[in-house]
Amino acid sequence: MDNKSIAKKLKLTIKLMELHDENSFKIRSYQTALNTIERGDIDLTKLDQEALQKINGIGKSLAEVILNLIDTETFPYLEDLLGKTPRGLLEVLNLKGLGPKKVKALWEELNITSTHELMEACQAGQVAKLKGFGEKTQETIIQSLDFMASNLGKWHYAELDEVVQQLLMELQDRLGKENVALVGEFARNMEIIDKVEILVKTEDRKEVWRILGEIEILEQDTVKSSPFTWRGKILEPEVKVHFYASEPSKFISEKLIRTGSPSHLLLPTEEGKTLAEVFSLHAFGSEKEAYEKAGLAYILPELREGQFEHKWAKDQVMPKLLMDSDLKGILHNHSTYSDGKHSLKEMAEYAYELGYEYLGISDHSRTAIYAGGLEIEMVKKQQQEIEDLNKTMSPFVIFSGIESDILLDGSLDYPEEVLQSFDFVVASIHSSLGMNINKATSRLLNAISNPYTTILGHPTGRLLLRRDGYPIDHKTIIDACALHQVVIEINANPWRLDLDWRWVHYAMEKGVKLAINPDAHEKAGYAHMKYGVLVGRKGGLTKEMTLNALSAEELKNYFMQRKLEKNPK
């Protein structure tokens, strides 16, 4: 158990307490403790009861709860709550937009104890008749259930990254580094992973399968496995995994065929054959040799999606893609001025420790009351602190920004003189997300045309595997960004990865720069930058088209020049 796991258990406890109408003061004490843990930096697993009790908001009873969680991953009160809660109701509690009170109503009035029963009740129109629900809520529940069902068993790339790399290293140690390769979705750095696929070069399949049986984190599905394919799952997190065995002479061909998407493998070659046919008809010493045989420049695994990569490879003009080391700074970050976990100074110092040249701070604006958005007085206070820190931390630079909410009419939520005071403005939608494509596109277009909008933040508002983004006309939005010289964000948070990589190439064609932003609400959030780079590369992103690949001095000039051009007065 770590702090994050402890917080997750406390969140579940609070939901169950509300479901069962437990004492409101007790609920509040758990919520206070949860807030303290989420905002704190202290590793709870290294503290004894006396030290835990000294932390503001925890106290004696919560200290005992935390110690129990560390020792046993549960505690008696949570077990009592789980004992009187139907197991299927826990899935219902996880549905987006359904709080414990509404779940309680469904349980007590319609005897719903599972997502299956909930869907049946919605389809029969029973949920809409309940007090406080209605047709709109019923339709939203149906959409959430459909979304949940379609994403069952799927994972964010970032959630699997560590365990897959550890598994790969163990296999390479046992079988030889050159004999084991990731293929499929994971090899292409897809943002959502349905299954992990690994190819093994061997002349003895039975020996490989025996070795797999010795790896503790793997469990084989003997019914679905075959002599040529080992099927099963990684136990934690529980994700499907397939192992394929290949003869040494066919290893490169198999690797190419099992890595490329179907669209990529159907691409034509000069000989009139598809890539898949060329790969399967010959033996190769390297992947580069295989693409040369097809009359193409070498195509990196992440680009093998059957899109723009074919023209690049055919014309022999494969550009050098963006790398982590190309990024000189990080923009779109939050501090304790709004809903961040760490102070402005702490966020800046950590960015400096990581080797960056600058930090862009962009706390929430005043409309975001739920996130402690900055009133004008706090904007001035923060900007004064930035000015002071820039004097002491030079040559490191802190740029003053804001994540300004895009209001319903597309306007930004500060007067002109306040917007003008920032070095840059990230414009984002956070409210009234249930828009159709016309409303969402129009709202964004108005924000993009605002002369103070520097960066369009997470353009669709999506949360991968949790909710779809609002629909937008991507081409129209990107064209508008090109016209108004607005940068588009690739939000690197693994839940977002928005702008979707499928639109990065079009943005580049239109001359629109992209910014890889972590949307960090704590120092640890900076680590998400790597996932923004991964999806940027999938879209063909280069250093030249990335805003925060500019040096601190170059970016300072960029911001100043843009403000002069947009607001010459």
Side-chain angles (χ1 to χ4, degrees):
M1 295 289 284
D2 54 14
N3 282 23
K4 190 174 180 180
S5 302
I6 292 167
K8 190 175 180 180
K9 292 285 187 179
L10 292 180
K11 284 178 184 176
L12 173 60
T13 305
I14 292 166
K15 280 186 180 181
L16 293 173
M17 290 166 79
E18 291 176 343
L19 179 70
H20 293 289
D21 279 335
E22 295 291 313
N23 183 286
S24 60
F25 292 103
K26 190 170 185 177
I27 294 173
R28 200 174 304 146
S29 69
Y30 272 74
Q31 187 62 57
T32 300
L34 175 62
N35 294 342
T36 299
I37 291 168
E38 290 188 321
R39 285 184 169 268
D41 271 335
I42 303 170
D43 184 351
L44 301 178
T45 63
K46 295 181 178 177
L47 302 180
D48 59 19
Q49 181 157 343
E50 184 179 353
L52 284 168
Q53 287 177 214
K54 290 179 181 178
I55 298 174
N56 186 37
I58 290 184
K60 182 180 178 181
S61 61
L62 268 301
E64 291 173 354
V65 164
I66 291 168
L67 289 173
N68 268 314
L69 284 171
I70 293 168
D71 289 340
T72 66
E73 299 189 6
T74 187
F75 58 100
Y77 182 48
L78 174 57
E79 289 302 310
D80 288 343
L81 291 169
L82 288 168
K84 57 184 181 180
T85 307
R87 187 175 179 84
L89 211 57
L90 297 177
E91 283 189 0
V92 180
L93 276 169
N94 285 329
L95 278 176
K96 192 76 176 170
L98 265 188
K101 289 184 179 179
K102 274 191 161 58
V103 174
K104 182 178 175 64
L106 292 166
W107 182 22
E108 291 183 343
E109 298 185 42
L110 296 179
N111 197 30
I112 287 169
T113 59
S114 69
T115 53
H116 175 71
E117 291 171 349
L118 178 57
M119 178 61 92
E120 287 186 340
C122 285
Q123 290 172 337
Q126 295 175 311
V127 173
K129 296 174 184 176
L130 292 180
K131 184 180 179 181
F133 283 80
E135 294 286 348
K136 189 174 180 181
T137 300
Q138 181 173 268
E139 183 56 36
T140 300
I141 292 171
I142 290 173
Q143 291 173 1
S144 295
L145 288 167
D146 284 340
F147 190 75
M148 177 186 282
S150 67
N151 289 304
L152 196 64
K154 296 181 180 179
W155 296 86
H156 296 108
Y157 178 99
E159 291 177 297
L160 302 177
D161 191 10
E162 185 177 350
V163 70
V164 170
Q165 296 304 331
Q166 288 175 349
L167 174 60
L168 190 65
M169 286 174 61
E170 181 169 355
L171 288 167
Q172 289 174 341
D173 285 343
R174 288 173 177 250
L175 301 169
K177 188 172 183 179
E178 71 285 355
N179 296 327
V180 183
L182 278 170
V183 292
E185 299 166 334
F186 210 91
R188 300 201 311 276
N189 296 337
M190 289 293 286
E191 66 273 37
I192 299 299
I193 304 296
D194 177 59
K195 63 178 176 288
V196 176
E197 298 176 271
I198 296 175
L199 180 66
V200 179
K201 177 169 55 174
T202 182
E203 293 178 340
D204 188 350
R205 287 195 307 272
K206 289 184 179 180
E207 175 61 13
V208 172
W209 295 170
R210 185 193 67 77
I211 289 171
L212 294 181
E214 294 178 349
I215 298 176
E216 291 183 1
I217 65 168
L218 296 177
E219 183 178 289
Q220 185 178 15
D221 185 331
T222 54
V223 174
K224 293 182 179 179
S225 294
S226 74
F228 299 95
T229 304
W230 189 105
R231 291 182 174 89
K233 62 185 178 182
I234 296 172
L235 295 174
E236 184 59 42
E238 193 171 304
V239 60
K240 289 184 290 185
V241 61
H242 291 182
F243 290 92
Y244 312 105
S246 169
E247 296 175 15
S249 63
K250 296 180 180 178
F251 183 67
I252 297 297
S253 296
E254 280 280 313
K255 185 179 176 186
L256 289 164
I257 290 169
R258 293 195 179 279
T259 297
S261 72
S263 297
H264 177 77
L265 295 172
L266 287 173
L267 290 174
T269 66
E270 292 177 352
E271 297 178 1
K273 295 184 176 68
T274 65
L275 272 180
E277 288 172 326
V278 172
F279 293 158
S280 62
L281 289 171
H282 304 278
F284 303 103
S286 70
E287 293 186 37
K288 185 178 179 182
E289 181 186 325
Y291 279 102
E292 285 176 353
K293 180 69 177 177
L296 301 172
Y298 174 66
I299 299 173
L300 290 164
E302 57 262 56
L303 295 178
R304 298 173 193 172
E305 297 291 348
Q307 297 195 1
F308 56 87
E309 80 273 16
H310 183 251
K311 187 177 187 310
W312 278 1
K314 187 178 178 182
D315 295 343
Q316 302 290 322
V317 290
M318 298 298 289
K320 184 179 179 182
L321 300 184
L322 180 73
M323 299 176 66
D324 291 334
S325 57
D326 292 327
L327 299 177
K328 304 303 180 187
I330 41 181
L331 305 168
H332 191 173
N333 304 285
H334 300 264
S335 72
T336 50
Y337 272 92
S338 62
D339 61 343
K341 182 176 178 179
H342 295 113
S343 69
L344 171 58
K345 186 170 187 269
E346 288 172 324
M347 294 293 280
E349 287 177 340
Y350 190 56
Y352 174 73
E353 287 173 21
L354 292 175
Y356 291 111
E357 295 180 15
Y358 54 86
L359 173 76
I361 201 72
S362 47
D363 278 299
H364 286 286
S365 58
R366 61 182 180 178
T367 300
I369 298 170
Y370 59 88
L374 275 63
E375 293 294 342
I376 294 174
E377 299 76 31
M378 290 304 291
V379 168
K380 293 176 180 176
K381 182 180 178 183
Q382 185 183 67
Q383 288 177 341
Q384 183 59 57
E385 184 177 351
I386 289 171
E387 188 178 327
D388 294 340
L389 284 170
N390 276 332
K391 291 176 183 175
T392 60
M393 293 188 68
S394 180
F396 185 85
V397 178
I398 304 171
F399 290 106
S400 169
I402 197 76
E403 185 178 18
S404 183
D405 267 33
I406 299 173
L407 305 180
L408 278 172
D409 63 356
S411 60
L412 305 184
D413 64 342
Y414 284 119
E416 186 174 318
E417 63 271 16
V418 177
L419 291 171
Q420 199 170 39
S421 69
F422 296 108
D423 293 316
F424 70 102
V425 173
V426 179
S428 307
I429 291 177
H430 292 106
S431 60
S432 303
L433 305 182
M435 301 173 285
N436 61 34
I437 190 168
N438 292 330
K439 175 62 181 174
T441 301
S442 175
R443 189 173 172 185
L444 287 176
L445 288 175
N446 286 341
I448 291 165
S449 66
N450 189 307
Y452 297 102
T453 297
T454 319
I455 300 171
L456 178 62
H458 45 73
T460 72
R462 73 182 186 182
L463 292 176
L464 293 167
L465 300 183
R466 187 178 291 180
R467 72 171 184 228
D468 283 325
Y470 38 82
I472 65 171
D473 183 333
H474 278 85
K475 282 192 174 181
T476 299
I477 294 301
I478 291 169
D479 291 348
C481 287
L483 177 65
H484 295 285
Q485 297 174 298
V486 170
V487 175
I488 299 179
E489 170 180 86
I490 296 177
N491 191 295
N493 186 305
W495 285 92
R496 293 190 183 275
L497 301 178
D498 182 19
L499 181 72
D500 190 294
W501 62 264
R502 294 161 185 84
W503 290 100
V504 168
H505 182 66
Y506 182 75
M508 291 170 59
E509 283 188 321
K510 293 296 177 178
V512 176
K513 279 186 177 287
L514 288 299
I516 306 289
N517 289 334
D519 197 355
H521 287 66
E522 58 178 316
K523 293 186 292 186
Y526 294 163
H528 290 157
M529 290 291 280
K530 67 174 284 189
Y531 302 113
V533 172
L534 288 179
V535 298
R537 287 172 62 90
K538 279 194 71 61
L541 185 59
T542 61
K543 174 183 176 180
E544 292 73 26
M545 292 303 295
T546 305
L547 180 69
N548 46 323
L550 296 176
S551 68
E553 192 60 32
E554 289 170 333
L555 188 61
K556 187 183 296 185
N557 292 334
Y558 175 90
F559 287 151
M560 288 176 62
Q561 186 62 34
R562 192 182 185 285
K563 287 175 77 171
L564 285 173
E565 290 173 358
K566 292 287 183 178
N567 306 284
K569 63 182 180 180

